[in-house]
Amino acid sequence: MIQLDRSHDGAARSWEPSANREGTDFPVQNLPLGIFRRRGEPDRAGVALGDFVVDLAVLREAGLLAGDAAAAAAAAAGPTLNPLLAQGRGPARALRLALFDLLGEGGAGSGRAKALRERLLVPIAEAELALPAAIGGFTDFLTSADHTLRMGRNALPPAFTQIPIAYNSRASSVRVSGEEVRRPNGVWREVEGEKVAFGPEPWLDFELELGAFVAGENALGAPIPIEAAADRLFGYCLLNDWSARRIQFLESMLGPFLGKSLSTTISPWIVTADALLPFAVAARPRPEAERPLPHLSSADDQEHGGLDIVMDALFSTAAMRARHEPPHRLTRAGFRLMYWTFAQMLTHHASNGCNLRPGDLFGSGTVSGPTDDSRACLAEISQRGTVAFVLPGGEERTWLEDGDEVIFRARASREGFASIGFGECRGRIAPAPAWPAAH
Protein backbone atom coordinates (compact mmCIF):
# COMPACT_ATOMS: atom_id res chain seq x y z
CA MET A 1 0.00 0.00 0.00
CA ILE A 2 1.35 3.43 -0.94
CA GLN A 3 2.09 5.63 2.07
CA LEU A 4 3.10 9.20 1.40
CA ASP A 5 4.82 11.19 4.14
CA ARG A 6 6.15 14.69 4.77
CA SER A 7 9.08 14.11 2.37
CA HIS A 8 6.60 14.16 -0.54
CA ASP A 9 5.23 17.63 0.30
CA GLY A 10 5.29 19.47 -3.02
CA ALA A 11 5.54 22.85 -1.30
CA ALA A 12 8.66 22.00 0.70
CA ARG A 13 11.85 23.93 -0.03
CA SER A 14 15.51 23.47 0.85
CA TRP A 15 17.87 25.98 2.45
CA GLU A 16 20.14 25.23 -0.55
CA PRO A 17 18.84 27.54 -3.35
CA SER A 18 19.86 25.31 -6.28
CA ALA A 19 17.52 22.59 -4.99
CA ASN A 20 14.58 25.00 -5.41
CA ARG A 21 15.40 25.98 -8.98
CA GLU A 22 12.69 25.13 -11.50
CA GLY A 23 13.68 22.10 -13.55
CA THR A 24 16.30 20.75 -11.16
CA ASP A 25 16.49 16.97 -11.08
CA PHE A 26 17.30 16.98 -7.38
CA PRO A 27 14.87 18.94 -5.20
CA VAL A 28 14.66 18.09 -1.51
CA GLN A 29 11.80 15.69 -2.33
CA ASN A 30 14.17 13.45 -4.34
CA LEU A 31 17.40 12.83 -2.37
CA PRO A 32 18.82 10.03 -4.54
CA LEU A 33 21.77 8.01 -3.25
CA GLY A 34 25.10 7.53 -4.95
CA ILE A 35 28.82 6.98 -4.46
CA PHE A 36 31.27 9.82 -4.99
CA ARG A 37 34.79 10.84 -4.18
CA ARG A 38 36.51 14.09 -3.44
CA ARG A 39 39.94 14.50 -4.98
CA GLY A 40 42.46 12.36 -3.09
CA GLU A 41 39.83 10.82 -0.81
CA PRO A 42 38.17 7.37 -0.81
CA ASP A 43 34.76 6.60 -2.29
CA ARG A 44 31.78 7.13 0.00
CA ALA A 45 28.04 7.69 -0.06
CA GLY A 46 26.39 10.95 -0.94
CA VAL A 47 22.96 12.33 -1.75
CA ALA A 48 22.19 14.65 -4.67
CA LEU A 49 20.63 18.02 -3.74
CA GLY A 50 20.36 20.67 -6.43
CA ASP A 51 23.84 21.24 -7.84
CA PHE A 52 25.57 19.49 -4.94
CA VAL A 53 26.42 16.17 -3.35
CA VAL A 54 25.57 15.97 0.35
CA ASP A 55 28.44 14.18 2.09
CA LEU A 56 26.78 11.73 4.49
CA ALA A 57 30.04 11.27 6.38
CA VAL A 58 29.92 14.92 7.48
CA LEU A 59 26.41 14.48 8.91
CA ARG A 60 27.48 11.32 10.76
CA GLU A 61 30.59 12.94 12.21
CA ALA A 62 28.52 15.92 13.39
CA GLY A 63 26.09 13.62 15.18
CA LEU A 64 23.11 14.88 13.17
CA LEU A 65 21.78 11.40 12.40
CA ALA A 66 20.29 9.11 15.01
CA GLY A 67 18.57 5.74 15.31
CA ASP A 68 17.73 3.91 12.10
CA ALA A 69 18.91 6.87 10.01
CA ALA A 70 22.36 6.74 11.63
CA ALA A 71 22.50 2.97 11.12
CA ALA A 72 21.57 3.39 7.45
CA ALA A 73 24.24 6.05 6.94
CA ALA A 74 26.80 3.80 8.63
CA ALA A 75 25.87 0.98 6.25
CA ALA A 76 26.51 3.39 3.37
CA ALA A 77 29.89 4.51 4.67
CA GLY A 78 31.93 2.23 2.39
CA PRO A 79 32.72 2.35 -1.32
CA THR A 80 29.38 0.80 -2.38
CA LEU A 81 25.75 1.00 -1.27
CA ASN A 82 25.39 -2.80 -1.11
CA PRO A 83 25.36 -2.97 2.72
CA LEU A 84 22.51 -0.44 2.76
CA LEU A 85 20.63 -2.31 0.05
CA ALA A 86 21.05 -5.49 2.10
CA GLN A 87 18.98 -3.91 4.90
CA GLY A 88 15.95 -3.45 2.65
CA ARG A 89 13.91 -0.31 2.13
CA GLY A 90 13.07 0.43 5.80
CA PRO A 91 16.43 1.88 6.99
CA ALA A 92 16.84 3.87 3.77
CA ARG A 93 13.35 5.30 4.34
CA ALA A 94 14.39 6.47 7.82
CA LEU A 95 17.53 8.05 6.36
CA ARG A 96 15.48 9.79 3.68
CA LEU A 97 13.13 11.35 6.26
CA ALA A 98 16.05 12.51 8.41
CA LEU A 99 17.76 14.07 5.40
CA PHE A 100 14.54 15.76 4.33
CA ASP A 101 14.35 17.46 7.73
CA LEU A 102 18.05 18.38 7.83
CA LEU A 103 18.16 19.75 4.29
CA GLY A 104 14.69 21.32 4.19
CA GLU A 105 14.05 24.94 5.07
CA GLY A 106 12.85 25.02 8.69
CA GLY A 107 13.18 21.27 9.23
CA ALA A 108 14.35 19.68 12.46
CA GLY A 109 18.13 20.15 12.72
CA SER A 110 18.28 22.16 9.48
CA GLY A 111 20.02 25.09 11.16
CA ARG A 112 22.87 22.87 12.33
CA ALA A 113 23.15 21.23 8.92
CA LYS A 114 23.18 24.59 7.13
CA ALA A 115 25.99 25.76 9.41
CA LEU A 116 28.10 22.90 7.99
CA ARG A 117 27.38 23.93 4.40
CA GLU A 118 30.98 24.45 3.30
CA ARG A 119 32.01 20.97 4.42
CA LEU A 120 28.68 19.26 3.76
CA LEU A 121 28.01 20.22 0.16
CA VAL A 122 30.36 19.22 -2.66
CA PRO A 123 29.63 20.67 -6.12
CA ILE A 124 28.54 17.84 -8.38
CA ALA A 125 30.72 19.34 -11.10
CA GLU A 126 33.78 18.81 -8.89
CA ALA A 127 32.89 15.33 -7.61
CA GLU A 128 33.83 12.09 -9.31
CA LEU A 129 30.79 9.82 -9.39
CA ALA A 130 31.13 6.02 -9.31
CA LEU A 131 28.85 3.02 -9.72
CA PRO A 132 26.42 3.16 -6.79
CA ALA A 133 26.63 -0.59 -6.10
CA ALA A 134 28.78 -3.60 -6.80
CA ILE A 135 26.57 -5.40 -9.30
CA GLY A 136 26.67 -9.16 -8.89
CA GLY A 137 23.92 -9.93 -11.39
CA PHE A 138 22.38 -8.03 -14.28
CA THR A 139 19.15 -9.22 -15.91
CA ASP A 140 17.66 -7.42 -18.90
CA PHE A 141 13.93 -7.80 -19.59
CA LEU A 142 11.71 -7.21 -22.63
CA THR A 143 8.65 -5.22 -21.53
CA SER A 144 7.65 -2.97 -24.43
CA ALA A 145 5.04 -4.42 -26.75
CA ASP A 146 5.76 -1.70 -29.32
CA HIS A 147 9.49 -2.48 -29.37
CA THR A 148 8.78 -6.20 -29.70
CA LEU A 149 6.47 -5.65 -32.67
CA ARG A 150 8.83 -3.25 -34.46
CA MET A 151 11.79 -5.61 -34.16
CA GLY A 152 10.45 -7.87 -36.89
CA ARG A 153 7.41 -9.43 -35.21
CA ASN A 154 4.02 -9.55 -36.91
CA ALA A 155 2.36 -10.24 -33.57
CA LEU A 156 3.39 -10.52 -29.95
CA PRO A 157 4.74 -14.02 -29.28
CA PRO A 158 2.60 -15.92 -26.74
CA ALA A 159 5.40 -15.99 -24.18
CA PHE A 160 5.57 -12.18 -24.14
CA THR A 161 1.99 -11.92 -22.84
CA GLN A 162 2.42 -14.77 -20.34
CA ILE A 163 5.74 -14.05 -18.59
CA PRO A 164 8.28 -11.22 -18.36
CA ILE A 165 10.90 -12.40 -20.88
CA ALA A 166 14.54 -11.73 -19.98
CA TYR A 167 18.14 -12.84 -20.36
CA ASN A 168 21.06 -12.79 -17.95
CA SER A 169 23.48 -10.14 -19.20
CA ARG A 170 27.02 -9.28 -18.14
CA ALA A 171 27.36 -7.53 -14.77
CA SER A 172 31.09 -6.91 -15.15
CA SER A 173 30.63 -4.57 -18.11
CA VAL A 174 28.14 -2.24 -16.39
CA ARG A 175 29.72 1.20 -16.24
CA VAL A 176 28.79 4.58 -14.79
CA SER A 177 27.63 7.51 -16.90
CA GLY A 178 30.42 9.40 -18.64
CA GLU A 179 32.71 6.47 -19.41
CA GLU A 180 33.39 6.01 -23.11
CA VAL A 181 31.91 3.07 -24.96
CA ARG A 182 34.36 1.30 -27.25
CA ARG A 183 32.96 -0.11 -30.46
CA PRO A 184 33.33 -3.88 -30.23
CA ASN A 185 34.92 -6.29 -32.65
CA GLY A 186 32.87 -9.34 -33.46
CA VAL A 187 31.51 -11.77 -36.01
CA TRP A 188 28.58 -10.66 -38.12
CA ARG A 189 26.88 -11.67 -41.33
CA GLU A 190 27.25 -9.67 -44.51
CA VAL A 191 24.07 -7.85 -45.56
CA GLU A 192 23.68 -10.10 -48.61
CA GLY A 193 24.20 -13.86 -48.47
CA GLU A 194 25.59 -16.17 -45.77
CA LYS A 195 29.17 -14.92 -45.64
CA VAL A 196 30.38 -13.81 -42.19
CA ALA A 197 33.12 -11.36 -41.29
CA PHE A 198 35.09 -10.40 -38.20
CA GLY A 199 35.77 -6.79 -37.40
CA PRO A 200 34.34 -3.62 -35.85
CA GLU A 201 30.56 -3.76 -35.37
CA PRO A 202 28.95 -1.62 -38.13
CA TRP A 203 25.45 -1.42 -36.61
CA LEU A 204 26.06 -0.03 -33.12
CA ASP A 205 22.91 1.00 -31.27
CA PHE A 206 21.54 2.30 -27.97
CA GLU A 207 18.48 1.22 -26.01
CA LEU A 208 16.65 3.61 -23.68
CA GLU A 209 15.81 1.70 -20.50
CA LEU A 210 14.98 2.09 -16.83
CA GLY A 211 17.08 0.12 -14.35
CA ALA A 212 16.04 -1.17 -10.92
CA PHE A 213 18.26 -2.17 -7.98
CA VAL A 214 17.31 -5.12 -5.78
CA ALA A 215 17.17 -4.77 -1.98
CA GLY A 216 17.48 -7.61 0.51
CA GLU A 217 18.13 -11.24 -0.34
CA ASN A 218 16.13 -14.44 -0.66
CA ALA A 219 17.64 -17.85 -0.01
CA LEU A 220 18.26 -20.14 -2.95
CA GLY A 221 15.06 -22.11 -3.52
CA ALA A 222 12.82 -19.50 -1.84
CA PRO A 223 10.51 -17.67 -4.29
CA ILE A 224 9.29 -14.10 -3.73
CA PRO A 225 5.49 -13.68 -3.88
CA ILE A 226 4.14 -10.77 -5.85
CA GLU A 227 2.73 -9.25 -2.64
CA ALA A 228 6.29 -8.95 -1.26
CA ALA A 229 8.04 -7.92 -4.46
CA ALA A 230 7.70 -4.14 -4.05
CA ASP A 231 9.70 -4.23 -0.82
CA ARG A 232 12.58 -5.82 -2.73
CA LEU A 233 12.80 -2.93 -5.21
CA PHE A 234 15.16 -0.38 -3.67
CA GLY A 235 15.30 2.24 -6.39
CA TYR A 236 15.83 3.14 -10.02
CA CYS A 237 18.33 4.57 -12.49
CA LEU A 238 18.60 5.23 -16.22
CA LEU A 239 20.18 2.44 -18.24
CA ASN A 240 21.62 2.31 -21.75
CA ASP A 241 21.81 -1.24 -23.05
CA TRP A 242 24.35 -0.64 -25.83
CA SER A 243 23.70 -3.14 -28.61
CA ALA A 244 25.89 -4.47 -31.43
CA ARG A 245 23.06 -5.34 -33.80
CA ARG A 246 24.90 -7.28 -36.53
CA ILE A 247 26.65 -9.40 -33.89
CA GLN A 248 23.36 -9.80 -32.02
CA PHE A 249 21.37 -10.85 -35.08
CA LEU A 250 23.92 -13.55 -36.02
CA GLU A 251 24.08 -15.11 -32.55
CA SER A 252 20.42 -14.72 -31.56
CA MET A 253 19.48 -18.38 -31.99
CA LEU A 254 20.40 -18.98 -28.33
CA GLY A 255 19.74 -15.46 -27.10
CA PRO A 256 21.86 -12.31 -26.64
CA PHE A 257 25.56 -12.76 -25.87
CA LEU A 258 28.43 -10.68 -27.32
CA GLY A 259 26.00 -8.33 -29.03
CA LYS A 260 24.94 -7.07 -25.59
CA SER A 261 27.87 -7.58 -23.22
CA LEU A 262 30.13 -4.90 -24.74
CA SER A 263 28.97 -2.27 -22.21
CA THR A 264 25.95 -1.09 -20.26
CA THR A 265 25.85 2.49 -19.00
CA ILE A 266 23.81 3.56 -15.96
CA SER A 267 23.22 6.91 -14.33
CA PRO A 268 25.10 7.34 -11.03
CA TRP A 269 22.15 8.10 -8.74
CA ILE A 270 19.65 5.62 -7.33
CA VAL A 271 16.30 7.39 -7.13
CA THR A 272 14.65 5.48 -4.29
CA ALA A 273 11.34 3.72 -4.68
CA ASP A 274 10.06 5.87 -1.81
CA ALA A 275 10.87 9.09 -3.68
CA LEU A 276 8.81 7.79 -6.62
CA LEU A 277 5.71 6.90 -4.59
CA PRO A 278 3.74 9.96 -5.77
CA PHE A 279 4.28 8.87 -9.37
CA ALA A 280 2.99 5.33 -9.03
CA VAL A 281 0.18 4.54 -11.47
CA ALA A 282 -1.88 1.54 -12.42
CA ALA A 283 -0.27 -1.24 -14.39
CA ARG A 284 -0.92 -1.16 -18.13
CA PRO A 285 -4.48 -2.35 -18.88
CA ARG A 286 -4.76 -5.66 -20.71
CA PRO A 287 -7.50 -7.50 -22.57
CA GLU A 288 -9.10 -10.35 -20.68
CA ALA A 289 -7.22 -12.96 -22.72
CA GLU A 290 -3.88 -11.46 -21.60
CA ARG A 291 -4.52 -11.18 -17.88
CA PRO A 292 -1.41 -12.15 -15.87
CA LEU A 293 -1.29 -15.54 -14.21
CA PRO A 294 -2.38 -15.51 -10.55
CA HIS A 295 1.16 -15.72 -9.16
CA LEU A 296 2.05 -12.55 -11.14
CA SER A 297 -1.01 -10.57 -10.12
CA SER A 298 -1.96 -8.72 -6.95
CA ALA A 299 -4.54 -5.99 -6.45
CA ASP A 300 -1.93 -3.55 -5.12
CA ASP A 301 0.50 -4.12 -7.98
CA GLN A 302 -2.24 -3.76 -10.57
CA GLU A 303 -3.33 -0.50 -8.94
CA HIS A 304 0.09 1.01 -8.14
CA GLY A 305 2.77 -1.06 -9.92
CA GLY A 306 3.35 1.28 -12.87
CA LEU A 307 5.58 4.36 -12.87
CA ASP A 308 4.71 7.62 -14.62
CA ILE A 309 8.17 8.57 -15.88
CA VAL A 310 8.88 10.40 -19.14
CA MET A 311 12.22 9.38 -20.65
CA ASP A 312 14.28 11.17 -23.31
CA ALA A 313 17.16 10.05 -25.51
CA LEU A 314 19.30 12.86 -26.93
CA PHE A 315 21.95 12.65 -29.65
CA SER A 316 25.14 14.65 -30.23
CA THR A 317 27.81 14.27 -32.89
CA ALA A 318 31.40 15.51 -32.87
CA ALA A 319 30.48 18.11 -35.48
CA MET A 320 27.55 19.35 -33.41
CA ARG A 321 29.78 19.76 -30.36
CA ALA A 322 32.39 21.60 -32.45
CA ARG A 323 29.66 24.05 -33.47
CA HIS A 324 28.52 24.32 -29.84
CA GLU A 325 25.09 23.01 -30.75
CA PRO A 326 22.94 21.43 -28.03
CA PRO A 327 22.11 17.71 -28.20
CA HIS A 328 19.14 16.81 -30.36
CA ARG A 329 16.27 14.89 -28.80
CA LEU A 330 15.55 11.72 -30.76
CA THR A 331 13.08 10.01 -28.45
CA ARG A 332 10.52 10.76 -25.76
CA ALA A 333 8.80 7.72 -24.29
CA GLY A 334 6.60 7.04 -21.27
CA PHE A 335 7.47 4.20 -18.92
CA ARG A 336 3.85 3.83 -17.79
CA LEU A 337 3.09 2.03 -21.08
CA MET A 338 5.34 -0.95 -20.29
CA TYR A 339 3.58 -4.31 -20.39
CA TRP A 340 5.06 -5.70 -17.14
CA THR A 341 5.73 -4.02 -13.79
CA PHE A 342 9.06 -4.34 -12.00
CA ALA A 343 7.33 -6.29 -9.22
CA GLN A 344 6.18 -8.83 -11.79
CA MET A 345 9.69 -9.01 -13.22
CA LEU A 346 11.16 -9.66 -9.78
CA THR A 347 8.61 -12.30 -8.81
CA HIS A 348 9.05 -14.11 -12.12
CA HIS A 349 12.85 -13.97 -11.79
CA ALA A 350 12.69 -15.66 -8.39
CA SER A 351 9.78 -18.00 -9.18
CA ASN A 352 12.14 -20.93 -9.81
CA GLY A 353 13.95 -20.25 -6.54
CA CYS A 354 16.67 -18.05 -8.03
CA ASN A 355 18.31 -16.07 -5.23
CA LEU A 356 18.43 -12.31 -5.84
CA ARG A 357 21.04 -10.35 -3.93
CA PRO A 358 21.50 -6.73 -2.80
CA GLY A 359 22.73 -4.65 -5.70
CA ASP A 360 21.49 -6.96 -8.45
CA LEU A 361 20.35 -4.87 -11.40
CA PHE A 362 17.30 -5.26 -13.63
CA GLY A 363 16.89 -3.56 -17.00
CA SER A 364 13.36 -2.85 -18.18
CA GLY A 365 14.13 -3.45 -21.83
CA THR A 366 13.74 -0.78 -24.48
CA VAL A 367 11.07 1.73 -23.39
CA SER A 368 9.43 2.26 -26.78
CA GLY A 369 5.93 3.65 -27.14
CA PRO A 370 3.37 3.54 -29.97
CA THR A 371 4.29 6.82 -31.73
CA ASP A 372 7.18 7.41 -34.12
CA ASP A 373 8.85 9.88 -31.74
CA SER A 374 8.80 7.26 -28.95
CA ARG A 375 10.95 4.73 -30.80
CA ALA A 376 13.66 4.12 -28.20
CA CYS A 377 16.55 2.66 -30.21
CA LEU A 378 18.11 3.20 -33.62
CA ALA A 379 16.98 -0.20 -34.90
CA GLU A 380 13.43 1.16 -34.66
CA ILE A 381 14.18 4.75 -35.68
CA SER A 382 16.13 3.74 -38.82
CA GLN A 383 13.99 0.65 -39.50
CA ARG A 384 17.02 -1.64 -39.17
CA GLY A 385 19.28 0.74 -41.04
CA THR A 386 17.08 1.22 -44.11
CA VAL A 387 15.93 4.79 -43.42
CA ALA A 388 18.37 7.51 -42.37
CA PHE A 389 17.34 10.22 -39.93
CA VAL A 390 18.57 13.78 -40.35
CA LEU A 391 20.03 15.82 -37.50
CA PRO A 392 19.50 19.61 -37.22
CA GLY A 393 22.86 20.42 -38.86
CA GLY A 394 22.16 18.20 -41.84
CA GLU A 395 24.16 15.12 -40.78
CA GLU A 396 22.50 11.77 -41.42
CA ARG A 397 22.64 8.62 -39.35
CA THR A 398 21.27 5.11 -39.40
CA TRP A 399 23.58 3.71 -36.70
CA LEU A 400 26.05 5.17 -34.20
CA GLU A 401 29.34 6.47 -35.57
CA ASP A 402 32.57 6.99 -33.65
CA GLY A 403 32.39 10.24 -31.68
CA ASP A 404 28.60 10.16 -31.37
CA GLU A 405 27.24 10.67 -27.86
CA VAL A 406 23.91 9.46 -26.48
CA ILE A 407 22.40 11.14 -23.42
CA PHE A 408 19.40 9.90 -21.43
CA ARG A 409 17.29 12.08 -19.15
CA ALA A 410 13.99 11.40 -17.39
CA ARG A 411 11.45 13.10 -15.13
CA ALA A 412 8.55 12.05 -12.95
CA SER A 413 5.83 14.69 -12.65
CA ARG A 414 2.40 14.95 -11.09
CA GLU A 415 0.26 17.95 -10.25
CA GLY A 416 0.64 18.93 -6.61
CA PHE A 417 4.04 17.26 -6.20
CA ALA A 418 7.60 18.34 -6.90
CA SER A 419 8.90 17.03 -10.21
CA ILE A 420 12.02 14.88 -9.80
CA GLY A 421 14.67 13.67 -12.23
CA PHE A 422 17.39 11.03 -12.47
CA GLY A 423 20.44 12.98 -13.60
CA GLU A 424 22.08 12.09 -16.89
CA CYS A 425 23.13 8.78 -18.36
CA ARG A 426 25.62 9.48 -21.13
CA GLY A 427 28.18 7.63 -23.19
CA ARG A 428 30.36 8.54 -26.18
CA ILE A 429 31.42 6.03 -28.83
CA ALA A 430 35.16 5.39 -29.18
CA PRO A 431 36.73 3.52 -32.12
CA ALA A 432 37.11 -0.23 -32.00
CA PRO A 433 40.49 -1.39 -30.71
CA ALA A 434 42.98 -2.79 -33.18
CA TRP A 435 42.90 -6.56 -33.04
CA PRO A 436 46.04 -7.77 -31.18
CA ALA A 437 48.72 -9.28 -33.38
CA ALA A 438 49.99 -12.77 -32.60
CA HIS A 439 53.32 -12.95 -30.77
Side-chain angles (χ1 to χ4, degrees):
M1 180 69 68
I2 291 181
Q3 293 183 341
L4 301 183
D5 55 41
R6 63 183 181 278
S7 70
H8 302 108
D9 179 2
R13 294 294 181 266
S14 172
W15 47 258
E16 165 46 46
S18 66
N20 305 324
R21 187 180 61 244
E22 185 176 358
T24 181
D25 278 352
F26 308 126
V28 73
Q29 293 88 349
N30 192 347
L31 305 177
L33 292 151
I35 296 293
F36 80 105
R37 68 179 68 92
R38 299 176 188 248
R39 181 172 297 179
E41 296 185 2
D43 290 0
R44 59 178 177 269
V47 171
L49 179 73
D51 296 335
F52 295 88
V53 182
V54 178
D55 191 339
L56 291 184
V58 173
L59 293 176
R60 290 181 61 226
E61 292 164 3
L64 293 183
L65 297 171
D68 289 343
T80 76
L81 294 175
N82 294 64
L84 177 60
L85 271 61
Q87 295 181 354
R89 285 175 56 175
R93 185 177 299 118
L95 176 60
R96 171 185 162 77
L97 282 170
L99 291 172
F100 179 81
D101 291 338
L102 290 169
L103 302 173
E105 188 68 64
S110 61
R112 294 177 62 194
K114 186 176 181 180
L116 297 171
R117 187 184 190 284
E118 292 304 312
R119 291 175 50 217
L120 180 63
L121 301 187
V122 179
I124 290 179
E126 298 176 11
E128 185 173 349
L129 304 177
L131 282 176
I135 299 167
F138 169 35
T139 305
D140 203 22
F141 285 82
L142 176 65
T143 58
S144 166
D146 297 292
H147 174 70
T148 304
L149 290 169
R150 289 197 191 104
M151 292 298 284
R153 305 273 188 179
N154 294 322
L156 293 174
F160 180 89
T161 64
Q162 295 161 354
I163 58 173
I165 299 170
Y167 66 95
N168 286 308
S169 195
R170 186 72 183 172
S172 66
S173 54
V174 177
R175 293 290 185 267
V176 74
S177 175
E179 291 195 25
E180 70 177 17
V181 179
R182 189 164 291 278
R183 183 181 302 274
N185 289 296
V187 178
W188 35 269
R189 197 183 309 282
E190 300 283 3
V191 175
E192 301 292 339
E194 296 299 311
K195 185 179 178 181
V196 297
F198 177 83
E201 164 62 61
W203 288 6
L204 194 57
D205 200 355
F206 70 85
E207 289 189 346
L208 175 63
E209 302 192 19
L210 191 67
F213 282 93
V214 172
E217 185 169 3
N218 58 300
L220 184 65
I224 303 169
I226 187 71
E227 293 79 8
D231 286 337
R232 296 293 306 278
L233 294 166
F234 186 88
Y236 302 88
C237 66
L238 302 180
L239 187 151
N240 190 336
D241 180 33
W242 302 99
S243 300
R245 295 300 189 192
R246 293 278 282 277
I247 296 172
Q248 177 190 354
F249 294 157
L250 176 65
E251 69 187 10
S252 60
M253 181 173 61
L254 198 58
F257 181 40
L258 298 182
K260 292 288 192 174
S261 61
L262 64 148
S263 186
T264 301
T265 303
I266 64 172
S267 52
W269 300 105
I270 301 179
V271 177
T272 64
D274 286 275
L276 287 170
L277 286 178
F279 314 104
V281 293
R284 174 174 167 153
R286 302 193 191 184
E288 183 66 25
E290 297 178 12
R291 289 184 62 185
L293 292 168
H295 76 289
L296 292 177
S297 182
S298 74
D300 188 62
D301 187 55
Q302 288 299 296
E303 188 176 354
H304 305 296
L307 291 169
D308 192 5
I309 299 170
V310 176
M311 304 175 65
D312 291 342
L314 299 96
F315 199 95
S316 174
T317 70
M320 291 171 65
R321 294 191 295 276
R323 296 191 297 265
H324 305 289
E325 296 176 359
H328 171 67
R329 193 184 80 204
L330 283 180
T331 299
R332 171 161 288 177
F335 190 78
R336 68 183 302 161
L337 297 178
M338 293 305 96
Y339 195 87
W340 296 98
T341 70
F342 270 110
Q344 290 171 321
M345 297 180 222
L346 189 142
T347 290
H348 178 64
H349 201 320
S351 62
N352 69 342
C354 173
N355 57 319
L356 302 176
R357 298 176 297 182
D360 282 356
L361 178 66
F362 290 179
S364 64
T366 310
V367 184
S368 295
T371 60
D372 285 346
D373 64 351
S374 61
R375 296 173 183 239
C377 66
L378 294 185
E380 293 183 50
I381 293 170
S382 71
Q383 300 179 39
R384 291 200 175 205
T386 62
V387 179
F389 59 92
V390 182
L391 294 164
E395 292 178 90
E396 294 187 358
R397 290 289 189 276
T398 50
W399 304 103
L400 293 170
E401 296 185 8
D402 294 346
D404 289 346
E405 187 171 46
V406 180
I407 305 161
F408 293 169
R409 297 172 185 157
R411 295 195 72 79
S413 303
R414 178 183 168 192
E415 187 174 355
F417 294 89
S419 174
I420 67 175
F422 289 73
E424 289 188 339
C425 175
R426 65 168 63 214
R428 186 176 298 179
I429 305 303
W435 189 251
H439 296 290

